[in-house]
Amino acid sequence: MVLALLLSTMLAVLASLSVGSQGWEPLLWRPPVDNADMATQILWDIRAPRTLGTWLAGALLGLSGALAQGLFRNPLADPYLLGSSSGAAMGVALCMACFGLSPMGMAWWGRLGLTGAAFLGSLAAVLLTLALARGVLHTLRLLLAGVVVGVVLGALSAMTMLLVPDIMRPMQAFMLGTTGFLGWPAVAVMAPVLGVTLLMALGGARALDALSLGDAVARSLGVPMAWVRNVLVLALALSTATAVAQAGLVSFVGLVAPHLVRARVVLTHGPLLVLSAAMGGLLLLCADTVARWVWAPQELPVGVLTAVMGGGYLLWRMHRS
């Protein structure tokens, strides 16, 4: 499983580096002789950061999906159902409206500011969902509360765009999901966040294993439930907010990535979290490559493509089972 995932990721990286604005343009292997410097600049200043940033965004979503499903003991849980992504989008919209920020050509400090606003919005949305659901014990109430919070915050984001029309175009790209704004500043923000949230998640992996047996069993094993939930909710909100702030609302990656891992191997939460992050990065990288290649020079919104692919996969799994 690990070897296959590693090889698939390497092939996906090479394919992503070989797709340009006009479709398949393998500058990695055969740069034009007359424009070697320009080809190198395109490769390292545009394609390389977009490829790495896309993988990091997918890894953050895959990690947040595995965290949500383990924390709430529900295979349908993902950042979208719990309102986290809608809260992050609301934070981004307010940040753009108040400070006039735009993700195109933004420096690292601007990316960090967007990530901070998205994190606060994501954390507020998750806490509101938990408050409305009165905890995580009632799964149906939790999912319904997450849907309500997501819809309300989505409506508030749309109202913000109507009140401040200047942010409508960048926010439209965020709503559909796009990796077109990713550059080295986005990579500089996402890479350390992925490292921190992965360490936080691995620190609670044993608690997630115990929690899968029920709250009573986890308490009998000495798991500090309140502390673990707070840390994991913080990691869930931070990873989701960072991915949404940089790549927009890319759907189904966080939901499908853990399912793909579980479909092949049965794992405890430690390896599952790491492999789900790697699978999420691979899924988003493949979807982004196809979105740039299939209709070149036009580019499909990657969030639309992941929704179609992820929805189709889940329908196929439902039909099989």
Side-chain angles (χ1 to χ4, degrees):
M1 172 68 182
V2 176
L3 182 59
L5 193 57
L6 180 60
L7 291 176
S8 299
T9 301
M10 292 175 62
L11 292 175
V13 168
L14 292 177
S16 178
L17 291 174
S18 301
V19 175
S21 59
Q22 300 300 318
W24 187 260
E25 299 173 341
L27 298 180
L28 181 63
W29 299 287
R30 294 185 294 109
V33 177
D34 297 334
N35 298 312
D37 293 339
M38 182 178 296
T40 302
Q41 185 177 2
I42 290 174
L43 178 63
W44 292 107
D45 293 344
I46 298 177
R47 296 188 191 179
R50 179 167 184 173
T51 297
L52 182 55
T54 300
W55 188 90
L56 288 170
L60 286 167
L61 291 174
L63 176 62
S64 64
L67 273 176
Q69 292 173 17
L71 183 60
F72 302 113
R73 302 198 303 275
N74 191 323
L76 292 179
D78 79 336
Y80 287 74
L81 289 178
L82 299 178
S84 178
S85 58
S86 298
M90 182 64 190
V92 170
L94 290 176
C95 188
M96 288 184 181
C98 294
F99 301 105
L101 297 176
S102 174
M104 181 63 72
M106 184 181 291
W108 69 268
W109 59 268
R111 293 278 182 181
L112 193 62
L114 276 185
T115 300
F119 169 67
L120 293 177
S122 177
L123 183 62
V126 170
L127 293 178
L128 181 59
T129 298
L130 294 176
L132 292 176
R134 300 175 187 175
V136 298
L137 296 179
H138 303 284
T139 302
L140 180 59
R141 181 185 296 169
L142 178 68
L143 295 178
L144 290 176
V147 170
V148 170
V149 170
V151 170
V152 171
L153 292 181
L156 292 177
S157 298
M159 183 178 296
T160 303
M161 288 189 290
L162 289 176
L163 294 176
V164 187
D166 292 340
I167 69 170
M168 188 168 294
R169 287 186 64 85
M171 279 304 300
Q172 185 181 26
F174 266 86
M175 294 297 184
L176 294 176
T178 179
T179 58
F181 300 137
L182 296 180
W184 290 121
V187 172
V189 170
M190 286 189 287
V193 171
L194 177 61
V196 170
T197 53
L198 189 57
L199 289 176
M200 294 170 65
L202 291 176
R206 287 191 175 184
L208 288 176
D209 292 335
L211 189 61
S212 64
L213 302 175
D215 283 358
V217 175
R219 290 193 185 93
S220 68
L221 294 175
V223 176
M225 297 303 301
W227 182 85
V228 168
R229 281 201 174 102
N230 289 336
V231 171
L232 294 181
V233 166
L234 187 67
L236 169 64
L238 181 57
S239 58
T240 305
T242 305
V244 170
Q246 310 305 324
L249 297 177
V250 179
S251 58
F252 274 103
V253 172
L255 177 62
V256 172
H259 282 275
L260 288 175
V261 174
R262 292 194 197 96
R264 284 155 179 81
V265 287
V266 178
L267 300 168
T268 57
H269 276 88
L272 176 64
L273 292 169
V274 176
L275 291 179
S276 295
M279 182 65 74
L282 175 61
L283 288 177
L284 188 56
L285 190 56
C286 291
D288 180 62
T289 303
V290 173
R292 289 187 286 138
W293 182 22
V294 69
W295 201 10
Q298 298 295 324
E299 184 175 322
L300 295 174
V302 68
V304 174
L305 192 59
T306 57
V308 172
M309 294 170 60
Y313 170 77
L314 289 179
L315 290 175
W316 175 75
R317 287 297 302 273
M318 290 172 58
H319 177 71
R320 285 285 302 274
S321 61

